[in-house]
Amino acid sequence: MVGSLSIGAFSLIENEVKKIMNEVKVEEKQENGKTKFTYEIEEFISSPHVSTDRYEIEATSGDLSLLSKYHYKFKEEYQATHVVRPGNTEELSKLMQKCYEYSMPVTLRAAGTSCYSASTPTKGGVIIDVRRMNKVHKIDKENMTVKCDAGIAWQKLIEELLDYGLAPKCYPTSYRASCVSGFVATSGKVGIGVLKNGILKDALQSVVFVKPDGSTETISRDSQGDLSLDDIIGSFGIFGAVAEVELEVTTLTTSIEMIGYSFNTSKMAIEFFRTLKNSKANKPLFLSLSDKHFEKYAHWTYPSRDYFVFAVYSDDPNVTSQNVSFAKETASKLDGLSVEEWYLKEKWRDITETELNLGRWCQNLIFQEYWVSDERVEDFYNFYMEKTSKQRYRHAFYLMSGAKGGNRVKLFGLSDIKNSREFFGIKAVFNDITINNYEHKDSLYSLGVVNTFYFLRFNPEKAAYLRNLKNKLDPKDLVNSYRLVKAKMRPWRVGLLFWIAKRLYRTA
Amino acid sequence: MSDEKVSEDVKKLVTTGPTVSSMFAPDKENLVEPGSHKDNDFERCIQCGYCRNVCRVYSITFSERDYAGGRNRILKALSKKELDFNKEEIIPSIFQCMLCGHCRTVCPVGIDLLEVFQNYRRTAVRKGVLPEKLGILKNSILTNKNPFLESGTDRYNWCDSETCKEGYDALQRGIERTRKIESGELKPSDIDEHLVGYFVGCTSSYRNNELSTATARILEKLGVKFILFPDEYCCGSVMFRTGLEDDAIQLVKYNVDMIRKLGVNELVFSCAGCFSTFNNEYPKFVGGLDFELSHLVQFVPKIVKQKGLRIRYTKRTKEDPMIITYHDPCHLGRYCGVYDEPRELMNMIEGVKFIEMKHNREMSLCCGAGGGVRALYGEISLDIASNRLDETVACWENINEDRLKEAIESKAEVLVSACVFCKNNLHLAASQTKPDLPMIDLSQILSECEFY
């Protein structure tokens, strides 16, 4: 009895000492530049993955675009105080819960291959980098599905599925760098496989979702909760983090062939493109249309005519062969000139790099991405030409087919930020095209902090719906703020900037 | 799950997308040369992140600071003075990189990332950044002319004649020839019209004598009357790699002067680090080199072809070959473009069967030893090596499947490289995680070969 009392008393004292020691530890950490919050995070995420290193924060505070720094750097909120890398759903959930408890702003980040500051902090706080969540949990050959962490790189997933004779139904052309969660958070409407097998939304069976308060929910196609899969796809992380996904997959095909034709006029090229795209029986795995400038800047030798349509067919050998025959017949009717096979093979092999190779020509590669309906491709192109033909800067046009009647158009400007007149002049041209595109019921393809104001201006109803949902799920507005529902950039400021830019950057 | 895996044949057929891209370097033949901006070429980085997927350090740390794109972002911020330069805190962003060059291989805009990051290190060192271990290494090289804190006069105490008499004797004969030239007793052309010198390097002199003795045996077996450089200095590789270039220049000038005085026509290396340093760094400081440079894996097939010889591995037979797979060292491969010669050489050897690993040539995965990472961040370095070994084991599993099909009985498999640093790091990782995995240098196989 005495012994047990002593032991009990000793335990109590020991606990008190531990408590005091912990408090001391917390204080020490605070003195060392870490906060109580940091220390509490390190209780469940190993310390190498909880960083307050200023260099790491700098490296993580951005995506392809550096614009956020220049647009609001004076507020110093483009930088976080922490970068944290959870390793699984449980860690992610606890982390979100802790951020919620501390009212700590959160920026969700995967590979950062989107643009327009989609993964840039806007209120400081914590960057949650999900790239450590990269495991494949289950490959189900019978039901043709895969369950994996959402931070997995597409390339890794493709290679793991390959071992089982399977492949994702669709994935982005940036698959060498990008992640599954990023494709979900953006929109998953364009890429390899979308025409043939459907867009990401069609392949997505369910997600494990972590809400801003840290609660976790599995959301499937028939879920009846606050959030649906439709809400999550393309939501740019404003409702929380996608932790795991279940995707339908497809089997490896046994043949693949590429066709490519160049045309003298945009009209013929667009017609050929549309015919291949809308042929019900012969859907290409990948389809693109580019102008001569694009091919020239991307390659040393390139097709001779002004427009180039490229399609890849993949299926059983007989089907592929039929598809290619159909494409050949259609091309000959439209006076298309066949492009050499080596060029097509190379283009397919390096499909991820093609659009980035333009960066070899310049100090700063500027681009803007649009979502343009099939019917409007020609008008869009004509407006683009009207705007750029008067400009001196080097430009290029690249269109990739999406499904469901839409396409991603990418416009490039080869420039140098040091030549600020030209740099902002190009941006001003893009601004004009963006407004024109929205006025014709089309939109931007990628949205981020620096271009959300376009979405708000032209999609007030959709924005109101998203805002209501955001208020419900994230009343403190902590997670991925200033995307879709609220703009960081002031339209008048941007408008003024471009108005001045147009006047300073005189056309040729 | 492994039972359900499809065979390699099916995988090779066709995928629904481009072929497995981590295995293939982008084809650059039809690309324009980028407009380089030399020291500030990082400004052209578009943050596409393609280098992230191939970065071995990132695969361990998952930190944006540790791969090329993230480091370029830091460099941009430093150059615009948006970020302070703190001599202590900045160290990992500078040195936690093997400079393996894999990022340069995949960079779509063609930035010479090796040049960028070596310049980053150089600039940082000039600003006073010097991790303690590098300071020790620097002092050792400047004082002892080697990085191992060993006396310079012990450089040629390589091996005892008991364990490797043949190699030792060959080396002694090489030294004797050198001394005779130095004393004027012989002219270089008296030894050979095309005089070959063997630049041993510090690691094979002080730590891995098995490479130097093996190389000497091979050269003698080929009938090459080579000379050695008993007074050689460290080539400076480690200094160039760690930002200490200003101190390395004296080593460059000394070594080149020494080699020229001895009238060498061709310099042979067994060390990939020394070879790449002579190839890539030396010409910057002494103009063109007036002697040829060859790594052993280039030199042997060249001589074998010249003399119409054949190679037979004496420990195995054609019917029962030793199966080997080859790890491309960064310093030979991505630094110097030496990919075909070692493969040609391995395929020449009767009694050895060579099979590729999944990631090879330009896309070979670094062993984790280079760029000072082994010295400064030992744990990361070993984790990287261990991952490389996983691939070797996976490769062997496939090899064994093939072998079963061919009904050939396997007796031994070996991972081979042609770089002493790769050998040491992979061997160390294997000893900790995969003790059954032999890791040897290609010269060790060649030294057990008959040339006839």
Side-chain angles (χ1 to χ4, degrees):
Chain A
M1 181 72 181
V2 173
S4 64
L5 186 65
S6 300
I7 290 166
F10 182 75
S11 295
L12 277 175
I13 293 164
E14 192 181 43
N15 286 340
E16 281 305 303
V17 170
K18 271 187 187 170
K19 209 171 154 187
I20 292 164
M21 289 303 286
N22 278 341
E23 281 167 8
V24 169
K25 208 172 172 185
V26 170
E27 289 307 311
E28 277 175 2
K29 294 236 176 190
Q30 284 172 327
E31 281 173 18
N32 289 337
K34 289 190 176 182
T35 61
K36 188 168 176 241
F37 172 78
T38 323
Y39 173 69
E40 289 183 12
I41 297 297
E42 286 178 349
E43 299 267 300
F44 54 86
I45 296 178
S46 60
S47 58
H49 298 296
V50 181
S51 177
T52 55
D53 177 299
R54 72 178 91 174
Y55 300 100
E56 185 162 355
I57 287 168
E58 174 66 34
T60 319
S61 296
D63 51 24
L64 266 76
S65 161
L66 291 172
L67 284 173
S68 53
K69 276 187 164 186
Y70 304 104
H71 282 301
Y72 57 97
K73 78 171 179 181
F74 59 93
K75 293 179 182 172
E76 291 188 352
E77 289 167 339
Y78 68 95
Q79 285 220 325
T81 54
H82 293 72
V83 176
V84 187
R85 295 184 289 270
N88 53 48
T89 303
E90 189 188 348
E91 288 183 3
L92 174 63
S93 168
K94 283 182 180 174
L95 175 59
M96 295 279 278
Q97 195 178 353
K98 193 59 73 181
C99 292
Y100 193 78
E101 193 183 304
Y102 275 80
S103 295
M104 190 72 91
V106 164
T107 303
L108 296 165
R109 178 194 167 88
T113 54
S114 185
C115 352
Y116 317 110
S117 309
S119 39
T120 304
T122 48
K123 293 167 142 188
V126 180
I127 295 173
I128 299 179
D129 182 344
V130 298
R131 287 294 306 273
R132 260 182 84 219
M133 297 171 61
N134 64 355
K135 314 279 183 310
V136 172
H137 297 296
K138 188 180 179 187
I139 295 173
D140 184 342
K141 275 193 91 169
E142 198 172 316
N143 293 308
M144 298 291 284
T145 57
V146 58
K147 277 186 184 172
C148 59
D149 285 341
I152 193 169
W154 277 107
Q155 181 161 295
K156 185 179 175 191
L157 180 61
I158 290 166
E159 291 187 6
E160 297 226 9
L161 287 171
L162 199 58
D163 279 343
Y164 298 85
L166 302 171
K169 283 191 154 182
C170 64
Y171 50 96
T173 50
S174 61
Y175 70 92
R176 280 200 192 210
S178 58
C179 289
V180 170
S181 58
F183 206 38
V184 176
T186 49
S187 68
K189 289 193 289 191
V190 173
I192 295 164
V194 294
L195 263 181
K196 187 172 177 61
N197 304 316
I199 60 175
L200 182 76
K201 187 175 154 186
D202 302 329
L204 193 62
Q205 295 284 295
S206 66
V207 299
V208 175
F209 196 76
V210 182
K211 293 178 183 171
D213 63 2
S215 61
T216 302
E217 186 182 343
T218 300
I219 300 168
S220 58
R221 286 177 176 176
D222 50 4
S223 289
Q224 300 294 315
D226 291 335
L227 271 173
S228 68
L229 285 182
D230 280 357
D231 293 325
I232 291 168
I233 295 171
S235 64
F236 292 89
I238 63 171
F239 303 131
V242 180
E244 295 167 38
V245 298
E246 183 180 13
L247 292 167
E248 281 180 6
V249 294
T250 183
T251 49
L252 289 175
T253 51
T254 51
S255 75
I256 193 159
E257 285 192 52
M258 298 120 218
I259 61 107
Y261 289 89
S262 60
F263 296 86
N264 285 323
T265 65
S266 60
K267 192 177 171 63
M268 288 297 185
I270 290 169
E271 194 175 336
F272 181 57
F273 174 88
R274 277 196 201 135
T275 309
L276 298 191
K277 182 175 179 181
N278 297 317
S279 157
K280 284 184 182 160
N282 304 290
K283 295 286 185 195
L285 185 71
F286 180 78
L287 179 64
S288 68
L289 187 160
S290 44
D291 70 356
K292 192 173 185 171
H293 299 294
F294 181 83
E295 296 302 319
K296 173 187 163 186
Y297 294 135
H299 304 104
W300 184 248
T301 55
Y302 47 92
S304 54
R305 291 184 177 175
D306 287 350
Y307 303 92
F308 174 58
V309 177
F310 174 66
V312 179
Y313 290 100
S314 174
D315 213 308
D316 294 330
N318 287 340
V319 180
T320 306
S321 174
Q322 285 167 18
N323 292 343
V324 170
S325 299
F326 169 76
K328 279 180 183 170
E329 281 168 30
T330 312
S332 76
K333 285 177 198 164
L334 295 167
D335 191 30
L337 179 67
S338 177
V339 172
E340 288 178 66
E341 194 182 353
W342 69 266
Y343 191 83
L344 307 178
K345 283 187 174 169
E346 183 186 289
K347 191 169 172 78
W348 182 232
R349 179 174 139 150
D350 297 336
I351 196 73
T352 54
E353 288 87 16
T354 305
E355 56 193 90
L356 302 173
N357 288 338
L358 275 66
R360 289 173 169 258
W361 285 78
C362 60
Q363 180 79 4
N364 298 95
L365 184 63
I366 314 170
F367 55 86
Q368 182 72 272
E369 296 175 316
Y370 303 90
W371 182 249
V372 181
S373 62
D374 286 347
E375 298 74 34
R376 263 203 11 96
V377 168
E378 203 165 345
D379 289 344
F380 179 92
Y381 181 77
N382 291 336
F383 186 75
Y384 156 74
M385 284 307 291
E386 185 190 320
K387 284 284 161 188
T388 48
S389 58
K390 297 172 195 163
Q391 308 293 337
R392 281 171 297 190
Y393 76 86
R394 292 174 295 178
H395 48 82
F397 176 93
Y398 184 42
L399 182 151
M400 269 187 277
S401 173
K404 321 249 174 187
N407 306 281
R408 188 187 87 167
V409 176
K410 200 160 182 175
L411 302 182
F412 296 88
L414 281 58
S415 184
D416 181 347
I417 199 165
K418 286 176 191 147
N419 180 357
S420 54
R421 286 188 180 190
E422 181 182 79
F423 185 85
F424 288 105
I426 297 170
K427 290 274 176 193
V429 170
F430 288 167
N431 176 60
D432 286 349
I433 295 170
T434 303
I435 289 169
N436 179 271
N437 206 35
Y438 271 109
E439 283 172 352
H440 289 86
K441 308 295 177 199
D442 283 331
S443 60
L444 287 170
Y445 180 70
S446 302
L447 286 170
V449 177
V450 299
N451 60 7
T452 277
F453 68 91
Y454 291 115
F455 176 78
L456 293 176
R457 178 177 161 192
F458 292 101
N459 296 279
E461 287 178 14
K462 176 76 176 168
Y465 169 78
L466 294 172
R467 196 173 296 116
N468 283 339
L469 201 50
K470 172 80 171 166
N471 289 340
K472 200 170 174 182
L473 291 160
D474 184 15
K476 296 183 190 176
D477 188 23
L478 294 176
V479 179
N480 278 23
S481 295
Y482 296 105
R483 282 107 173 143
L484 294 179
V485 295
K486 194 166 70 170
K488 185 89 176 172
M489 311 305 301
R490 301 278 173 233
W492 66 264
R493 186 170 164 254
V494 178
L496 180 63
L497 176 75
F498 291 145
W499 184 83
I500 296 168
K502 276 198 277 190
R503 269 136 197 88
L504 290 177
Y505 181 61
R506 288 287 171 205
T507 54
Chain B
M1 273 170 41
S2 60
D3 292 336
E4 299 168 17
K5 285 190 176 184
V6 296
S7 73
E8 289 296 300
D9 295 340
V10 174
K11 281 196 279 178
K12 280 173 192 161
L13 268 177
V14 183
T15 74
T16 56
T19 42
V20 187
S21 52
S22 73
M23 289 156 61
F24 300 102
D27 194 340
K28 292 181 178 168
E29 277 183 19
N30 194 28
L31 298 181
V32 290
E33 281 297 312
S36 176
H37 297 260
K38 298 279 179 191
D39 290 348
N40 65 344
D41 213 16
F42 56 82
E43 298 279 5
R44 291 198 304 117
C45 176
I46 51 178
Q47 311 295 148
C48 65
Y50 287 12
C51 50
R52 191 197 283 118
N53 260 15
V54 297
C55 178
R56 307 322 299 156
V57 176
Y58 180 84
S59 75
I60 304 295
T61 66
F62 290 92
S63 170
E64 290 284 307
R65 182 193 59 194
D66 291 337
Y67 83 101
R71 194 171 297 114
N72 284 338
R73 193 184 288 280
I74 293 170
L75 281 164
K76 286 176 189 176
L78 287 170
S79 78
K80 290 184 175 67
K81 304 204 184 309
E82 293 164 353
L83 192 61
D84 295 337
F85 187 93
N86 181 296
K87 286 182 190 175
E88 291 302 318
E89 292 175 29
I90 205 166
I91 284 175
S93 87
I94 301 170
F95 291 103
Q96 208 154 277
C97 164
M98 282 91 65
L99 296 176
C100 72
H102 209 152
C103 47
R104 182 174 68 174
T105 300
V106 301
C107 179
V109 298
I111 300 173
D112 186 348
L113 290 157
L114 281 176
E115 182 57 36
V116 168
F117 298 146
Q118 281 200 188
N119 186 50
Y120 184 24
R121 291 181 177 198
R122 214 160 34 226
T123 309
V125 167
R126 283 173 188 160
K127 285 184 176 177
V129 174
L130 191 65
E132 192 184 347
K133 284 183 183 173
L134 276 190
I136 295 168
L137 184 141
K138 174 186 165 182
N139 288 336
S140 178
I141 294 177
L142 294 181
T143 311
N144 307 312
K145 316 306 177 195
N146 71 75
F148 298 114
L149 299 170
E150 301 279 359
S151 163
T153 53
D154 292 342
R155 183 174 276 275
Y156 271 54
N157 295 343
W158 284 337
C159 62
D160 62 59
S161 54
E162 299 296 317
T163 54
C164 187
K165 189 161 185 345
E166 200 184 332
Y168 179 77
D169 290 347
L171 291 165
Q172 291 306 322
R173 283 189 284 275
I175 293 172
E176 276 170 33
R177 286 189 281 268
T178 308
R179 294 300 182 209
K180 282 181 181 172
I181 296 175
E182 283 174 340
S183 67
E185 193 179 330
L186 286 176
K187 287 188 287 185
S189 58
D190 294 336
I191 296 170
D192 201 318
E193 281 299 316
H194 183 81
L195 184 62
V196 171
Y198 170 32
F199 192 91
V200 181
C202 301
T203 312
S204 298
S205 292
Y206 291 104
R207 294 288 182 270
N208 290 82
N209 311 138
E210 71 277 11
L211 263 73
S212 47
T213 49
T215 304
R217 284 179 76 191
I218 296 161
L219 293 175
E220 284 222 333
K221 283 183 182 189
L222 288 168
V224 177
K225 287 180 185 169
F226 63 96
I227 64 163
L228 289 153
F229 309 99
D231 304 317
E232 75 181 38
Y233 282 2
C234 169
C235 70
S237 174
V238 70
M239 299 183 99
F240 283 110
R241 247 40 85 201
T242 53
L244 298 164
E245 181 181 299
D246 295 345
D247 295 301
I249 296 168
Q250 54 179 297
L251 305 174
V252 173
K253 289 183 174 162
Y254 170 85
N255 280 330
V256 171
D257 192 40
M258 172 190 74
I259 294 160
R260 280 176 178 159
K261 277 181 186 164
L262 286 165
V264 168
N265 300 104
E266 183 166 7
L267 198 59
V268 173
F269 302 84
S270 56
C271 174
C274 298
F275 176 68
S276 85
T277 304
F278 268 77
N279 261 293
N280 299 314
E281 306 295 347
Y282 276 42
K284 293 178 195 166
F285 303 100
V286 293
L289 296 175
D290 41 14
F291 42 85
E292 286 178 52
L293 304 174
S294 297
H295 189 273
L296 191 69
V297 297
Q298 297 172 299
F299 186 76
V300 173
K302 184 174 79 175
I303 300 297
V304 164
K305 278 191 269 185
Q306 271 176 11
K307 297 191 173 183
L309 299 172
R310 298 172 74 181
I311 316 174
R312 183 189 297 135
Y313 181 52
T314 54
K315 293 190 171 177
R316 297 287 276 271
T317 63
K318 191 177 180 182
E319 292 72 32
D320 177 27
M322 177 169 74
I323 294 185
I324 61 172
T325 188
Y326 178 70
H327 165 81
D328 283 282
C330 304
H331 282 284
L332 267 191
R334 283 187 283 263
Y335 275 63
C336 298
V338 178
Y339 298 111
D340 293 331
E341 295 99 320
R343 286 167 171 78
E344 186 188 11
L345 176 58
M346 286 182 285
N347 285 324
M348 279 179 177
I349 307 172
E350 188 184 308
V352 162
K353 186 177 178 186
F354 161 64
I355 292 182
E356 290 280 12
M357 269 198 272
K358 181 179 166 188
H359 292 99
N360 57 60
R361 294 177 178 259
E362 294 98 326
M363 299 302 274
S364 176
L365 305 181
C366 175
C367 75
V373 171
R374 178 81 198 93
L376 297 173
Y377 306 99
E379 278 186 26
I380 290 175
S381 175
L382 275 184
D383 284 346
I384 291 166
S386 188
N387 288 347
R388 184 58 167 154
L389 295 175
D390 283 341
E391 188 168 310
T392 314
V393 172
C395 163
W396 286 1
E397 284 169 4
N398 292 333
I399 291 168
N400 283 329
E401 283 171 21
D402 290 345
R403 285 168 64 82
L404 286 172
K405 279 179 206 162
E406 295 169 22
I408 300 171
E409 205 178 332
S410 164
K411 285 186 179 168
E413 281 84 26
V414 177
L415 172 60
V416 172
S417 191
C419 168
V420 67
F421 305 107
C422 297
K423 181 192 180 233
N424 287 344
N425 209 40
L426 291 168
H427 176 74
L428 187 61
S431 66
Q432 291 181 7
T433 58
K434 294 172 183 67
D436 296 333
L437 190 59
M439 168 75 219
I440 62 172
D441 192 90
L442 187 50
S443 63
Q444 292 174 276
I445 294 178
L446 288 169
S447 72
E448 301 294 343
C449 285
E450 183 186 351
F451 297 85
Y452 62 102

